[in-house]
Amino acid sequence: AARGSRDRAATHPAAMPPPGAFRQNPPARPNGAAPPGPGGFHPPGAGPPPMVPGAPATGAPTTMGGAPPMMMRPPGGPPGPPVAGGGPPGSAMLRPPVGVMGAPPGGPPPPSGGPPGAMRPPVMGAPHTMTGAPPPGTAMMPPPTAQMAQMRVNPTMTGAAPPPMGPGGPGGPMGGGGPMGAPLVNRPGAQVVGPTGVHASNFNQMVPQGGPPRPTGPGGPGPPPGPPPPAGMGYPGGAVANGMPMPPTMPPPPGVAPPPTMHPQRTANGVGAPGGPSYPTYPGQVPPPGPQGMVPPPGAPHQQPGMIQQNQQGGSNKVGGGGGQRIDPAQIPRPAHDDHAEVIRWDSRTAQGAAAHPPAASTSFIASDRGSCNPRYMRSTMSTIPHTGELLTSSGMPFSIMVQPLAIPSPEEDPIQVVDNGDVGPLRCVRCKAYMNPFARWLDHGRFQCNFCGATSECPREYMCNLGADGRRMDWAQRPELCRGSVEYAAPAEYMVRPPMAPALMFCIDVSLAAVQSGATTSAVEAIARTLDSVPEPKRTLVGICTYDSVIHFYHMHDGMATPRMLVVPDADEPYSPLPAGMAVSLEDNRANIDSVLKQIPEMFANNRHGSPVGTAAVKACIEALKPHGGRVLAFMGTQPTGGLGKLTNRAAQAQNVGAKEAEKEPLKYLAPGDKMYTKMASEAAEYQVSVDLFLLTNNQYVDVASLGTLPRITGGSLYRYPGFNTQLDFAQLHNDLRWNVLRPQGLEAVMRVRASNGLGVADYGGFYCKRTPTDVDLPALDCDKAIMCSMRYEERLNDGGEAYVQCALLYTTIQGERRIRVHTMALPVTSVLGNVFRASDLEAQTCDMIRKTAARLLGGSTSIQSVKDQTITTTVNTLYAYRKFCASNNSTGQLILPEGLKVLPLYCLGLHKSPGMRSDAHADDRAAWLLNGLCAPVKMCVPSVYPRNFPVHRLVDEGTDEGTVFPPLPTVTWLSAEKLEQDGIYVLEDARELLVWVGRQCPEVVLRETFGVDHVDHIQSNTSALAQLDTKRSKSLNAFVNCMRRMRSGYLRMRILRRGDPGEAAFYAKLTEDRNVAGMSYVDFLCHVHRLIQNKFQ
C-alpha cells in the first residue's frame, strides 16, 4: 500500500505561483526598528539596500553584521607563580578554610522569547544598490540586510573601505575604518582568502580572510622557515661560568642552572635562545628533563624545595591547627591572565633534537615544524609519557591525543606542503603501513627501518638517495616528509573507489505555521540567498532546495527549464526522493532558477495552515536525494518535528518531578535518541557520504536536541542552536554561521586512522564520526573546527629514555575535487620518573578529555549526573593524590599540594559541574546542546566553556588609547564571583559560545549615554537590545572589543545585554563559577572538599 501511494504521488508537479512582490506593509518592529526592506528580492552580488529613514538615533536595536569566521586565540598562557604557602618544586600549597563564601543573587532565567505568534515574520530584503548610502539620521540597518552578507576583510587589503553600519560611520563597531578593525563581511563577489594565510596548496579551497589579531610583541618575526637545526648546539652565549661568558656551544658547568625558557621572555623552548631547555621553569621547580624527558643525573645542581610558611596572627596555617584558619580567596590558584599582547615562538624540536613541551592551546603562539607536528593538529594530555601502563595508572592522569587534522595554522606559520609522487604514491612501511616521517631510520640508500613497528622496507628506485656522514639522506631537507611532522600527499588512483565527489548542498527549510510566524522561514531563505554568493567552486557545487510542513516539497530545476517545478512527497512516514537523481543541480548554471525559488518561498507559505511539521522525514528525503553522489543536508528547523517519520514528543516533561538532589541521581534517559531510527538513519547517510547540519531556529520550547543531534554527530556535521530565536538579534549570527559553514576549510568523504608505535595502541575514539571498522573512522564531512579524541592504551613496556610515536593519516577530498592524504606525526619522550610526567602534563588537554568523556557518558542516556560528578572528582583527586604521594612526600599531609601545571584542575572540575551540561536545573535542550558541542570542540574552546572570562569593560576608555581602543592587548579579567562585580560597572562575560553584557544599577548616566545611548539603566531592554554603535569613544572601544572577541573565537558569539536586577541576569550569575549556587559549592569549599578526599586516601 505504501508503494502504491508512492507511485501515485511521486511526481505530481504542482504549479509554482508566479513571482510576486512580497508583503509591502510589514508589521512594526519593536523599539522602533525599521522593516527589512520595502519589497522584492536582492539579486546576487548586488550592494546594500538603502537605509530606511526616520529610525531613532539612539536606543534602537542595531543588528551587527556577521562576525569574521576566523581562527582565534583564546586567552590563557603559562601558569603564574605559586601562591603563598609551602610546597615542593613547581607546586602551589593551600590550606582549607573554616567558613564559606556567600551565594550570589539571581533567580531562574525567564523565557526570552514569546509564543510563535508573538513576532510577525520579516520580509525579504530590498533590491541592492551599490551606490545607496544611508540617509542622515539613520541609526541602524534593518535586519536582514545585505550588509550582513559581507565578510570581515581588512579594507587595506581589499582596497576599498566598507559602507557605514550606523551613526558611527566607518569607525563604528562593524565598520572598517581606523583602529576599529575591519568590516565583518566582505562585499558579495569579493575575493576571499584564507583566514590565517592558508596557502592554496594547504587546503586547496577558498576560505575567508583575516585571522587572529596580530599582536606586535618582542621577539620579531622569528626564525625563517627551514630544516631543523643541527644537533649538538649548547646553551646560549648568555650563560656565565665563574664570571666569564661561555661559548655558545659549551654546556653549562656544574652549579650553573639552565636559563629560564618561558618567563619572563615568553619563549616556549628557546627560540631566540637556541639550545634552551624544552620545559618552562618556575621559581622552586626542579630542573627540566633532559633530551629524552629525564631529570638530570644525581649530583647535578638543582634547587631544593622549600616550604614557605605563611603566618597569620603569629601562627602557622596547617590543617588541624587552631581556629580562625581561613583561605584567602586572593591566594587560591586561578588561570593566569593572557592579554595576547605577545606571541610565543616555539620549535617542535629543540636544537639537540629532543621533543619540546608545547605551549598552552589558549595562548598566542607561532610554531615551527622541526620534525614533530604542530600542536594545533595533535596535542597529548602529557607531552612526556610513562614507560609502563602501571606508572600511568599511578599518576591518575588520562592519556589521550586530541587530533584536529584540518586545523587552521597561524598566518606566520609555514603551510603544509603537498608532495606528489605520481603513480608511486606515498612511501609506506610494508608491515604496518605507516607513512614515511622524519623519525624513520635509513639503513642505506634504498632501505629504511620503520619507527612504528621496526620492520625494514625498501623504497622505489626513483626514491633512492645516498646517505651522508651523519646517517641522514642527502636530500632530507628537500623532501618535506623527511623533515616535517605534517605533510600532505596527492593520492594516486589506488586510493579511490570512485571519482572524487563534487560538493553538494541540499537546503531543507521549515515552512510550517510556527516557523513562518517566528520569522525563521524568511531568515533562513535570506541567509541562504546571501551565502550562495560566497560558495567556493560554484561551477562544481550542486545545490538543491526542499521545504516541508505536513508534507515535503522538492523543487526540480535543470538547464533549459523555464520555470521550476514543485514535486510533492505526501508520504511522511516513508519519505523518498521524487526523482532517482537530478534533485541537486549546478549552482553556476542554474543560479537564476535557484534565486527564483528562494524568492517565492516566503510568499507561497505566508498563510500556511498545515498540520504537524515533518522535519525528520524531510531530512530523510534529502538524504535519499543525495545518495547517488553524496553531499550535505543543511536543515533549518523552526519547530519540533511532531509528525511523520521520527516524530518527537516532550520526553523531558515525562521525567519524574523530584528535587534537584534526587534528580541528579536519576539516569538522564532523555539524552539518548528518542527513536533508534535516528541512529539508523544517520549511519545510512554516512555510508553514502552524506552529512547533516542542523540550524535550530526555535523558541524556548523543547525540541529534543538530543535526538536531532544524533544526525550531525554520526555524519560529521554541525549543530547550530538559537534558543528564543529573534530575527532582530539573531539573523546576523545565522548568516555568519551559514557562510562560515560553507567557506571554512573542510574535507569530504574522509577516512582517518591513528597509528602508534610498538607498545601503544588506540583504545577508543570520541567525537563526531561514524565507525564501521575497528581501526578506521569514517567522516562524510570534516572541517577545521572539529577535533577527534583518541584514547591510548599500553600494550607492552616502552623503552625508558626513548621516544614513542603517534601518526594520524586522513584521506579526504578537497572542495576542488582533489584526493589528498594528510599525515601528522608526533614524537613523545618516554620516562620512568613520575615527576617528569607531571611536569609535562597539559592542563587544557586534560580538561578537554574530562569534558568529552563526561559528554559521551551522559549522551548514552543511562548515566546520572551524580555518577558523572563522582567520576570527575575521582579523576581529579587521584591525579592530585599521586602528585602528593610520589612527588611531594616530604610535606605534611595537612597541606594541599598542587602541581604547577595542574594547579587549577580543581577549578575546571568545579566549572564542569556547574556547566549547563551537568547542572541539575538546566533545560533539557540546553544540556544536550552543550554536551554535543563539547563532544567535538577543539582544546582551545573547552576551557572557556567551563571557566569563562569576565572583562570589566567600563574601564576601557580610561585604560585605552586616545581614539578607539585597539585589541589586543586584552583588559585584565576578574574572578568569576559576584564579590568582584561593581555596581557602577559594565562587564562582558565570554565563554567561547556567547557574550553576556552585564550593566550595574549604579552605572553613571554619562557612561550609559556614551555606551548604550540611554539615560537610565532601566531603559535597556534585556534580551531585545543590541549593542549600539555611537560616535563616542566608549561605544567605539566596546564595539572594537566585542569584534576582537568574535575574531578570536572564529564565530559571531551571540550577545545579550543584561542589567542588574533583571530576571534574565540569572544566566549571567550561573556562569560565576567561584560562587556557591544551586549547581554546587563555592571554589573555596570545593578545594577543601578535594583536600579532605586526598587526606582520606592517606588513611
Side-chain angles (χ1 to χ4, degrees):
R3 173 63 61 184
S5 63
R6 177 179 305 179
D7 295 338
R8 289 192 299 271
T11 55
H12 287 296
M16 292 278 291
F22 290 102
R23 188 177 293 112
Q24 298 296 323
N25 297 315
R29 304 295 177 197
N31 300 327
F41 183 79
H42 74 281
M51 295 293 233
V52 179
T58 58
T62 304
T63 302
M64 292 184 290
M70 302 172 184
M71 172 195 161
M72 307 305 159
R73 299 192 177 99
V83 300
S91 64
M93 182 182 71
L94 300 176
R95 298 179 177 85
V98 175
V100 296
M101 299 172 63
S112 60
M119 179 180 293
R120 298 283 298 277
V123 184
M124 304 290 288
H128 296 188
T129 59
M130 294 302 294
T131 58
T138 302
M140 58 164 288
M141 176 171 288
T145 67
Q147 207 74 21
M148 301 168 190
Q150 300 173 349
M151 182 70 74
R152 174 175 291 277
V153 176
N154 194 326
T156 61
M157 298 181 181
T158 59
M165 289 291 292
M174 298 306 156
M180 298 306 299
L184 281 180
V185 287
N186 67 320
R187 296 171 179 167
Q191 182 181 4
V192 183
V193 299
T196 55
V198 180
H199 194 267
S201 63
N202 192 2
F203 290 108
N204 290 290
Q205 59 189 39
M206 298 173 66
V207 289
Q209 178 177 352
R214 197 48 39 212
T216 56
M233 293 184 63
Y235 287 94
V240 177
N242 300 324
M244 298 297 293
M246 297 191 316
T249 58
M250 178 183 297
V256 178
T261 59
M262 184 174 293
H263 298 292
Q265 294 89 350
R266 267 185 75 82
T267 59
N269 64 340
V271 176
S278 56
Y279 291 87
T281 57
Y282 306 95
Q285 180 178 330
V286 296
Q292 301 299 336
M294 302 293 293
V295 295
H302 64 275
Q303 181 180 355
Q304 295 292 339
M307 300 301 295
I308 305 174
Q309 299 293 339
Q310 186 180 35
N311 298 325
Q312 294 180 359
Q313 300 178 355
S316 176
N317 277 335
K318 291 186 178 181
V319 176
Q325 301 171 5
R326 185 181 181 88
I327 291 181
D328 183 3
Q331 299 298 324
I332 56 180
R334 292 182 178 85
H337 173 64
D338 185 5
D339 60 3
H340 294 266
E342 301 177 8
V343 178
I344 298 175
R345 298 187 178 273
W346 178 83
D347 282 351
S348 62
R349 306 284 287 185
T350 63
Q352 293 81 11
H357 183 65
S362 60
T363 57
S364 302
F365 66 91
I366 298 174
S368 296
D369 187 345
R370 304 298 186 189
S372 188
C373 70
N374 192 323
R376 303 183 198 275
Y377 304 120
M378 297 181 70
R379 181 178 289 270
S380 174
T381 53
M382 53 187 74
S383 58
T384 297
I385 62 176
H387 71 305
T388 62
E390 292 76 12
L391 188 61
L392 175 66
T393 303
S394 300
S395 71
M397 292 186 290
F399 181 22
S400 301
I401 307 292
M402 307 300 166
V403 182
Q404 195 176 355
L406 300 181
I408 304 178
S410 168
E412 299 183 33
E413 295 173 351
D414 295 337
I416 297 179
Q417 300 184 36
V418 178
V419 178
D420 189 355
N421 292 332
D423 296 335
V424 177
L427 185 61
R428 306 177 65 178
C429 174
V430 295
R431 179 192 294 176
C432 68
K433 300 302 180 183
Y435 291 84
M436 174 55 61
N437 60 87
F439 305 103
R441 188 168 69 92
W442 286 89
L443 305 178
D444 52 38
H445 68 286
R447 294 185 308 149
F448 67 92
Q449 185 178 26
C450 177
N451 58 304
F452 283 88
C453 66
T456 301
S457 304
E458 294 184 358
C459 68
R461 179 177 298 273
E462 55 269 22
Y463 202 88
M464 293 182 180
C465 180
N466 293 329
L467 304 184
D470 56 357
R472 293 190 295 185
R473 288 170 55 109
M474 302 292 291
D475 62 347
W476 71 272
Q478 285 74 41
R479 291 188 177 271
E481 67 271 23
L482 300 181
C483 62
R484 294 288 181 263
S486 297
V487 68
E488 189 161 282
Y489 296 95
E494 62 182 289
Y495 288 83
M496 309 178 193
V497 296
R498 65 173 184 178
M501 61 178 288
L505 305 175
M506 180 66 72
F507 297 101
C508 183
I509 306 171
D510 187 353
V511 293
S512 61
L513 174 63
V516 172
Q517 290 182 341
S518 65
T521 300
T522 304
S523 298
V525 170
E526 184 74 4
I528 293 171
R530 299 178 182 183
T531 302
L532 291 180
D533 295 330
S534 307
V535 172
E537 298 293 327
K539 189 173 185 61
R540 297 187 67 253
T541 302
L542 306 178
V543 173
I545 300 175
C546 170
T547 57
Y548 71 90
D549 41 30
S550 59
V551 294
I552 306 168
H553 325 97
F554 282 92
Y555 300 87
H556 185 216
M557 45 196 164
H558 59 78
D559 297 343
M561 180 179 291
T563 304
R565 295 187 303 165
M566 176 190 288
L567 306 180
V568 180
V569 180
D571 190 356
D573 294 324
E574 294 185 8
Y576 54 90
S577 174
L579 294 177
M583 298 311 303
V585 297
S586 172
L587 172 60
E588 186 176 73
D589 299 337
N590 299 271
R591 182 59 189 272
N593 286 335
I594 295 174
D595 288 343
S596 175
V597 171
L598 291 174
K599 180 178 180 179
Q600 297 179 58
I601 286 176
E603 184 67 20
M604 281 191 297
F605 300 99
N607 299 317
N608 196 357
R609 294 294 184 271
H610 285 276
S612 301
V614 292
T616 306
V619 173
K620 172 64 174 176
C622 293
I623 293 174
E624 295 292 332
L626 291 178
K627 276 186 177 181
H629 44 73
R632 299 166 55 198
V633 178
L634 293 90
F636 299 82
M637 295 186 177
T639 54
Q640 183 186 45
T642 56
L645 179 70
K647 60 182 178 182
L648 300 173
T649 59
N650 191 348
R651 295 186 295 151
Q654 301 172 3
Q656 298 181 0
N657 186 13
V658 295
K661 290 298 182 182
E662 291 75 10
E664 290 188 355
K665 301 178 182 178
E666 297 292 331
L668 301 180
K669 298 181 180 180
Y670 62 83
L671 289 180
D675 192 335
K676 294 182 179 179
M677 179 277 310
Y678 281 91
T679 302
K680 180 180 179 181
M681 183 173 74
S683 300
E684 182 181 0
E687 183 179 356
Y688 287 90
Q689 305 300 333
V690 178
S691 66
V692 180
D693 297 332
L694 292 182
F695 296 80
L696 304 181
L697 316 177
T698 60
N699 51 27
N700 289 323
Q701 297 179 357
Y702 178 76
V703 296
D704 202 345
V705 174
S707 296
L708 296 175
T710 305
L711 301 177
R713 178 182 178 181
I714 296 180
T715 63
S718 300
L719 175 66
Y720 303 91
R721 180 169 175 260
Y722 309 85
F725 180 75
N726 185 315
T727 305
Q728 299 288 333
L729 299 179
D730 296 330
F731 176 82
Q733 182 185 5
L734 170 63
H735 173 236
N736 183 267
D737 291 343
L738 177 60
R739 196 167 191 270
W740 178 235
N741 181 282
V742 174
L743 287 173
R744 63 188 173 185
Q746 54 194 288
L748 308 175
E749 52 181 350
V751 179
M752 190 186 79
R753 176 180 293 188
V754 175
R755 296 178 174 88
S757 56
N758 286 336
L760 296 177
V762 179
D764 195 12
Y765 294 94
F768 279 23
Y769 64 91
C770 179
K771 188 176 180 182
R772 294 195 295 267
T773 61
T775 58
D776 295 343
V777 172
D778 295 326
L779 299 160
L782 178 65
D783 55 75
C784 63
D785 296 328
K786 291 187 178 63
I788 294 178
M789 183 182 74
C790 304
S791 298
M792 309 301 293
R793 69 170 182 266
Y794 278 78
E795 298 177 347
E796 59 185 56
R797 184 188 184 97
L798 304 181
N799 182 22
D800 184 15
E803 286 186 332
Y805 307 97
V806 181
Q807 186 179 84
C808 167
L810 177 72
L811 173 65
Y812 72 104
T813 301
T814 65
I815 297 297
Q816 287 73 23
E818 298 175 347
R819 200 70 171 152
R820 295 290 180 83
I821 306 171
R822 176 164 293 196
V823 180
H824 302 293
T825 307
M826 177 175 59
L828 297 172
V830 180
T831 181
S832 59
V833 180
L834 196 57
N836 293 338
V837 178
F838 275 99
R839 188 181 299 108
S841 59
D842 192 311
L843 171 65
E844 296 177 338
Q846 293 193 23
T847 303
C848 182
D849 176 270
M850 185 184 301
I851 293 175
R852 284 173 174 263
K853 290 179 179 178
T854 297
R857 292 190 62 190
L858 288 177
L859 290 173
S862 59
T863 306
S864 65
I865 296 178
Q866 187 61 50
S867 175
V868 176
K869 282 186 176 181
D870 294 342
Q871 181 62 38
T872 55
I873 293 179
T874 300
T875 301
T876 302
V877 170
N878 288 344
T879 300
L880 300 181
Y881 167 75
Y883 181 81
R884 182 67 181 80
K885 179 179 180 181
F886 299 108
C887 303
S889 58
N890 295 331
N891 302 302
S892 169
T893 58
Q895 297 167 334
L896 178 59
I897 308 299
L898 302 174
E900 180 63 30
L902 302 175
K903 64 180 180 181
V904 293
L905 181 62
L907 177 59
Y908 290 165
C909 179
L910 177 63
L912 177 59
H913 293 177
K914 296 185 176 183
S915 67
M918 296 184 64
R919 294 175 62 96
S920 58
D921 59 342
H923 190 274
D925 281 345
D926 293 340
R927 188 190 310 279
W930 194 93
L931 293 174
L932 286 169
N933 287 328
L935 194 61
C936 65
V939 176
K940 67 176 183 179
M941 303 290 285
C942 288
V943 169
S945 66
V946 296
Y947 193 81
R949 296 181 296 178
N950 191 28
F951 296 93
V953 296
H954 52 280
R955 305 192 186 104
L956 290 181
V957 174
D958 301 334
E959 299 176 356
T961 56
D962 295 337
E963 190 62 31
T965 305
V966 179
F967 302 98
L970 302 179
T972 304
V973 297
T974 63
W975 307 344
L976 289 183
S977 173
E979 296 181 358
K980 306 301 294 183
L981 299 179
E982 302 175 5
Q983 292 302 314
D984 59 347
I986 303 174
Y987 296 84
V988 174
L989 189 143
E990 178 266 335
D991 65 353
R993 301 180 184 182
E994 65 178 351
L995 293 170
L996 297 180
V997 182
W998 183 87
V999 185
R1001 295 290 302 178
Q1002 302 176 9
C1003 188
E1005 180 179 344
V1006 61
V1007 175
L1008 292 173
R1009 186 182 302 110
E1010 294 180 359
T1011 305
F1012 303 103
V1014 297
D1015 296 331
H1016 195 273
V1017 67
D1018 290 334
H1019 296 166
I1020 299 176
Q1021 299 297 324
S1022 300
N1023 294 327
T1024 59
S1025 296
L1027 188 62
Q1029 304 173 36
L1030 309 175
D1031 190 15
T1032 62
K1033 291 176 58 177
R1034 294 185 184 276
S1035 178
K1036 291 179 180 180
S1037 297
L1038 180 56
N1039 279 278
F1041 175 75
V1042 170
N1043 289 341
C1044 177
M1045 290 293 99
R1046 288 170 169 167
R1047 289 195 305 271
M1048 297 183 69
R1049 292 306 184 198
S1050 186
Y1052 189 78
L1053 294 185
R1054 169 189 179 119
M1055 185 174 64
R1056 291 294 183 265
I1057 302 177
L1058 308 170
R1059 67 177 186 272
R1060 177 69 178 94
D1062 189 275
E1065 71 171 349
F1068 180 86
Y1069 281 111
K1071 298 182 182 298
L1072 300 183
T1073 307
E1074 299 191 23
D1075 289 340
R1076 177 192 295 178
N1077 52 32
V1078 295
M1081 60 187 72
S1082 67
Y1083 181 27
V1084 174
D1085 292 342
F1086 187 75
L1087 277 178
C1088 296
H1089 178 61
V1090 169
H1091 188 200
R1092 284 192 293 268
L1093 294 178
I1094 295 175
Q1095 287 181 307
N1096 293 340
K1097 294 179 71 68
F1098 278 101
Q1099 297 176 358

